[in-house]
Amino acid sequence: MLQQMEGDSAGDGETELLDESHYVAVSPRPEPAMSNISENEFSCHCCYDILVNPTTLTCGHNFCRHCLALWWESSHKNECPECREKWEGFPKINILMRDATDKLFSEVVQRRRMEIQANPKISRSLLAFQRHGDNLGRARTTHNRGAGFFFSGVLTALTCVAVVVLVFHWGSGVMEQHDLLISKPVSHWTSEDVVYWLENLGPWTEPYRGAFQQENVNGRLLLMLGDEELMKKPYNIENSVHRRAVLAELDRVKALGVKPPQNLWEYKAANAGKSLFLLYALKRSPRLTIFYLYLFDYSETFLPFLHTCCPPFTHTEEPVESSFLKTQLEPSWQQWVEFLVKYCVLPYQLIAEFAWDWLAIHYWTSRFIIVNAMLLSVLEGCFLWRLWTTARLRTLPQQMWNHLWKMLSQGFAFALMWPFVPQFVCNCLFYWALYFSPIINIDLVVQQLMHPETQAQ
Ligand SMILES: [Zn+2]
Ligand SMILES: [Zn+2]
């Protein structure tokens, strides 16, 4: 026992001695040791130049990130180019070493960075490598049931609630009546249909409904009504604004031949293809889609959209009760300015505001659209931020141009394919885009926010 303790202490003494000699050897002359550092120590064994964004593999070897990306792309293997050991996970930039090389060989590193950025092939393989890493990370986070999984779970539950509400809505037959009127020619409307139509115009029609009911006004009779008839007995619509509103709505009915859609479901039933197109196009490319509406669907869709998102500042003396009449006014310049600013900076905000206006009518659906719009805004912000931090902002015009072509070709393909797609498939796509894409987007946002800075470079 004693011997052992003695032995131990002797051993300790030895190590202390060794340590001291070590200190003696190193501490008095640190500068020559520093000057021994040459480019050789910091050179990459792929390109034999100074390391740029040095990336350390699990085997301990270091390579420039772009050298590794090029090697990975050509070999399709997760192997160290030097010792062929497989690396685990996704290699990250060694920040300590990067800062050291950036400081010690700033000129060389800067020159090399410029060269790398100017080389499209290297940029492409770096991007592909990064994407590979992102996919790995995504697979791992879903596997680890991280925060993204939690949010997805919550939203899946919400989606289930929404679907149940929808099914209930269908079951109660409310939809059927709506569907009926928007496809039933106005000349075939019964007096009940006429009252239902009047009811849909807004609460201001309440005092007049009784007269229509008593007179048994059916569709044919409704078409005969003019300004004079509405003013006289038995309708007694003395308020000229109300009369104008009823007549404007009546003109719309005459023009369409059926009841114009007044909520999302009616709109979808009346314009199945257009609603599906708008849903996907607004999600993918809100600016292009709104511009398209401005060009080709000005009064029917664009103007109501603008008036809903950017309501007029000044309130006119005469309140115009008909929502349709109100949306057909030419917007003021303040409205245009507000709209254009939002259009350029936060286009998804416009969609959220539009959905906000429908909260009372579409409780869950509006909330889903608003959440999705906010998520898409965040994703767009992340995308721009990544371009900015990786100094690829000048590729933005090129990317926008590519995006334009992609959207145009997809829109064209949609227009060609649309008549051949069964109604059932369209419905599935519609509800998928409406209720499930927020869940996917929330996952994407969580990943973007947890995305380590170093990997983006
Ligand atoms: Zn290299
Ligand atoms: Zn190695």
Side-chain angles (χ1 to χ4, degrees):
M1 196 61 176
L2 255 172
Q3 259 183 338
Q4 203 192 336
M5 275 173 72
E6 268 173 12
D8 279 350
S9 64
D12 285 347
E14 241 175 51
T15 49
E16 268 168 36
L17 262 175
L18 267 176
D19 281 354
E20 263 170 39
S21 65
H22 182 69
Y23 282 126
V24 168
V26 174
S27 56
R29 291 183 291 123
E31 271 142 50
M34 280 291 285
S35 65
N36 281 344
I37 292 175
S38 68
E39 298 194 0
N40 275 338
E41 270 82 40
F42 288 99
S43 70
C44 160
H45 283 213
C46 271
C47 59
Y48 295 99
D49 207 335
I50 296 293
L51 285 159
V52 176
N53 286 332
T55 302
T56 310
L57 302 181
T58 34
C59 60
H61 286 123
N62 295 291
F63 302 95
C64 309
R65 192 156 192 82
H66 68 276
C67 290
L68 199 65
L70 287 169
W71 157 259
W72 168 82
E73 208 177 32
S74 60
S75 70
H76 300 289
K77 280 176 191 161
N78 297 355
E79 278 178 0
C80 169
E82 200 164 350
C83 67
R84 304 288 157 140
E85 189 182 314
K86 282 208 164 167
W87 71 64
E88 302 284 329
F90 185 58
K92 293 186 178 64
I93 290 175
N94 187 329
I95 298 172
L96 183 78
M97 199 182 262
R98 182 193 61 190
D99 293 349
T101 47
D102 283 8
K103 267 204 188 120
L104 287 169
F105 312 102
S106 59
E107 262 177 46
V108 186
V109 171
Q110 223 151 20
R111 174 181 53 80
R112 294 204 67 202
R113 271 187 208 278
M114 302 274 267
E115 283 168 10
I116 291 163
Q117 267 168 25
N119 189 329
K121 185 175 180 287
I122 294 180
S123 302
R124 255 201 312 278
S125 58
L126 268 174
L127 200 70
F129 190 50
Q130 187 57 45
R131 246 183 235 140
H132 166 69
D134 288 347
N135 288 339
L136 275 182
R138 210 163 290 156
R140 224 175 308 139
T141 43
T142 43
H143 184 248
N144 289 348
R145 309 191 161 203
F149 188 85
F150 172 74
F151 286 123
S152 306
V154 169
L155 272 164
T156 310
L158 284 179
T159 312
C160 290
V161 171
V163 169
V164 168
V165 169
L166 264 184
V167 170
F168 177 77
H169 198 60
W170 284 325
S172 64
V174 182
M175 292 285 288
E176 258 171 58
Q177 204 187 349
H178 288 191
D179 284 355
L180 260 176
L181 272 199
I182 54 164
S183 56
K184 189 173 176 180
V186 60
S187 52
H188 294 173
W189 285 7
T190 63
S191 57
E192 278 155 22
D193 291 338
V194 172
V195 172
Y196 176 76
W197 166 77
L198 208 58
E199 213 178 291
N200 261 266
L201 297 186
W204 56 274
T205 58
E206 210 184 330
Y208 316 120
R209 282 175 217 158
F212 277 81
Q213 214 152 15
Q214 272 174 7
E215 289 299 305
N216 253 330
V217 180
N218 61 12
R220 277 174 192 284
L221 204 56
L222 183 71
L223 290 174
M224 301 292 165
L225 293 179
D227 194 49
E228 276 179 38
E229 285 85 0
L230 287 177
M231 196 162 62
K232 283 188 283 189
K233 276 187 177 183
Y235 308 107
N236 282 335
I237 307 182
E238 273 154 20
N239 186 329
S240 65
V241 180
H242 287 186
R243 253 190 346 262
R244 229 171 46 222
V246 170
L247 286 172
E249 293 286 350
L250 195 55
D251 279 343
R252 267 183 97 198
V253 171
K254 277 181 197 164
L256 286 172
V258 290
K259 174 179 171 292
Q262 265 151 339
N263 63 39
L264 179 67
W265 307 127
E266 288 183 355
Y267 189 82
K268 181 183 165 292
N271 315 287
K274 194 168 141 190
S275 53
L276 188 65
F277 163 75
L278 282 180
L279 193 61
Y280 274 88
L282 281 172
K283 208 173 68 179
R284 288 287 310 279
S285 180
R287 292 184 187 87
L288 270 182
T289 313
I290 293 170
F291 186 61
Y292 166 85
L293 292 177
Y294 172 76
L295 288 181
F296 301 108
D297 204 2
Y298 186 74
S299 69
E300 191 64 28
T301 312
F302 181 80
L303 269 185
F305 182 73
L306 191 150
H307 279 284
T308 313
C309 304
C310 310
F313 291 101
T314 50
H315 294 282
T316 43
E317 290 289 306
E318 269 186 315
V320 185
E321 265 79 1
S322 162
S323 56
F324 176 70
L325 263 190
K326 211 164 29 181
T327 59
Q328 289 305 302
L329 298 170
E330 201 51 42
S332 65
W333 67 267
Q334 290 106 320
Q335 277 176 285
W336 271 115
V337 169
E338 187 190 346
F339 182 80
L340 284 175
V341 169
K342 284 179 187 168
Y343 173 83
C344 294
V345 183
L346 280 170
Y348 291 111
Q349 171 77 13
L350 287 172
I351 299 167
E353 278 174 39
F354 187 75
W356 185 265
D357 207 61
W358 290 89
L359 271 181
I361 299 166
H362 301 295
Y363 186 85
W364 280 110
T365 308
S366 286
R367 276 163 174 77
F368 266 82
I369 294 173
I370 291 168
V371 167
N372 204 12
M374 291 194 298
L375 291 173
L376 287 167
S377 291
V378 172
L379 281 178
E380 194 182 63
C382 286
F383 172 73
L384 288 175
W385 173 248
R386 223 173 332 134
L387 278 190
W388 172 257
T389 51
T390 54
R392 279 185 289 135
L393 209 58
R394 62 211 156 92
T395 62
L396 192 62
Q398 179 65 37
Q399 294 200 19
M400 279 164 73
W401 180 248
N402 292 344
H403 178 73
L404 174 71
W405 276 113
K406 213 164 112 187
M407 286 305 290
L408 281 180
S409 53
Q410 281 179 4
F412 191 66
F414 177 81
L416 279 182
M417 294 294 293
W418 158 247
F420 306 105
V421 181
Q423 182 67 33
F424 174 74
V425 176
C426 288
N427 280 341
C428 287
L429 288 174
F430 187 83
Y431 294 118
W432 171 265
L434 208 54
Y435 297 117
F436 284 90
S437 69
I439 298 171
I440 296 165
N441 286 336
I442 211 160
D443 230 25
L444 283 177
V445 166
V446 169
Q447 266 156 37
Q448 288 279 352
L449 296 181
M450 297 197 307
H451 194 267
E453 268 294 303
T454 49
Q455 293 198 12
Q457 295 190 10

